[in-house]
Amino acid sequence: MNVQHLDEELLDRFAFGEPGELDEVERLRVEEHLAKCSKCSEALELLVRSVRMVEYWGSVKAPESLITRVRMKLRHKTVAPLMPIVVIALGITDVARLWVLAWSLSGGLSTIVEALPRMLEALSYGWTGILRVVLEIVAGSWLRMGGISAQMGVLLTVGGLVLLMRRKEWAN
Amino acid sequence: MLKPFEQYVLKYQDMVYNIAWHVTRNQHDAEDIAQESFVRAFEHFTDFSTGEPPKSWLCTVTLNLCRDWLRRQKPVLSGEEKDYRGGGQAADQPEERAAVKEALNALDPESRLLVVLFHLEGFSHKEISEMTGMPISMIKNRLFRARKKMKEILMAEGLRR
Ligand SMILES: [Zn+2]
């Protein structure tokens, strides 16, 4: 007897088609055929088994290094916009250092603009010159802003520092 | 990294890496793609009413990055494939895993990707169509041929045993 077997594509759709893939008539025809045909049943079973094997063994898990890499990258990305400020704060040039120091300590753009020519001039005298100008700016603004105790504190601190620097110069 | 985003990465890192790895088949490039996928997700993390970028959105980003990666590869890749190794797995692989790798290796990258999306990640034909821009009929046809090929290889590898 010549039996018409189910073709591979129909079997595949029967096994892996989404709901509604086969209409009710088709589905019943496949089921009836499978019930009495061992050849097609075996073909279906092998197909399903092979796909289940792929589903079971096919996946790879993310290595632990991945989340670390993502963390690092994001840290870098969130820090990046702050970098110019950080770079200036750390000081690429003496002017940048002075600017930031003076700004953060003395309070105000005007002070810096005022002091800029003197800062630049001070650069030619090396570090002691620069520090002296900074201390002047800082002291000046603190004295303007603070009460008497703050003024005394600043005076003593600045005076001490200037003396220390002088001593170094004298030593040279 | 902020806590909710870290949880998001933990939730999807296997999916993203799995997809990337099955396309690139090397840990280094797969990690690069996965990392970049999450960086983009981070940039858009608050853009969604769902509270976080949806799974399919993230998957689309990964697929686009995979596509860029494929474009940069030498043409040899689509024909005779390079060896299917690595992938963050321990070396002691059972025979079944090796056979499955061989079966997946026999597929072209696009078909393999479809198998990964449909069978490993559980996306529907419609979702895959939306993510890849491929017509559903083509997706179904390619999946059918991919399953047929994998079955033949796995049978030859001793699935019958
Ligand atoms: Zn039959």
Side-chain angles (χ1 to χ4, degrees), chain A residues 3-142:
Chain A
V3 185
Q4 177 78 40
H5 290 291
L6 301 171
D7 75 55
E8 277 183 310
E9 191 172 4
L10 186 59
L11 269 182
D12 184 87
R13 280 165 62 208
F14 177 77
F16 300 108
E18 288 176 338
E21 188 92 28
L22 293 183
D23 63 41
E24 206 46 28
V25 178
E26 265 181 315
R27 210 171 56 76
L28 276 173
R29 186 168 73 83
V30 173
E31 279 174 2
E32 275 169 19
H33 181 91
L34 287 171
K36 58 188 185 216
C37 177
S38 59
K39 186 173 182 281
C40 288
S41 298
E42 196 192 344
L44 176 67
E45 202 220 309
L46 282 172
L47 176 65
V48 173
R49 267 178 66 195
S50 63
V51 171
R52 295 292 169 249
M53 259 180 88
V54 170
E55 286 171 349
Y56 190 80
W57 294 106
S59 290
V60 288
K61 287 218 173 303
E64 277 170 24
S65 50
L66 177 61
I67 193 153
T68 313
R69 279 186 61 173
V70 174
R71 273 191 202 118
M72 297 268 286
K73 180 87 180 181
L74 290 181
R75 192 171 302 150
H76 178 75
K77 266 187 99 72
T78 38
V79 167
L82 297 172
M83 276 317 277
I85 295 164
V86 173
V87 165
I88 290 169
L90 291 175
I92 283 180
T93 67
D94 295 328
V95 175
R97 279 185 207 179
L98 287 172
W99 185 287
V100 170
L101 254 174
W103 198 347
S104 57
L105 292 177
S106 72
L109 194 61
S110 58
T111 322
I112 295 159
V113 174
E114 250 173 56
L116 195 61
R118 296 203 50 219
M119 287 181 186
L120 290 170
E121 189 198 331
L123 286 178
S124 58
Y125 297 109
W127 269 109
T128 46
I130 295 163
L131 274 173
R132 228 176 278 161
V133 173
V134 170
L135 290 173
E136 258 180 54
I137 297 164
V138 173
S141 56
W142 276 2

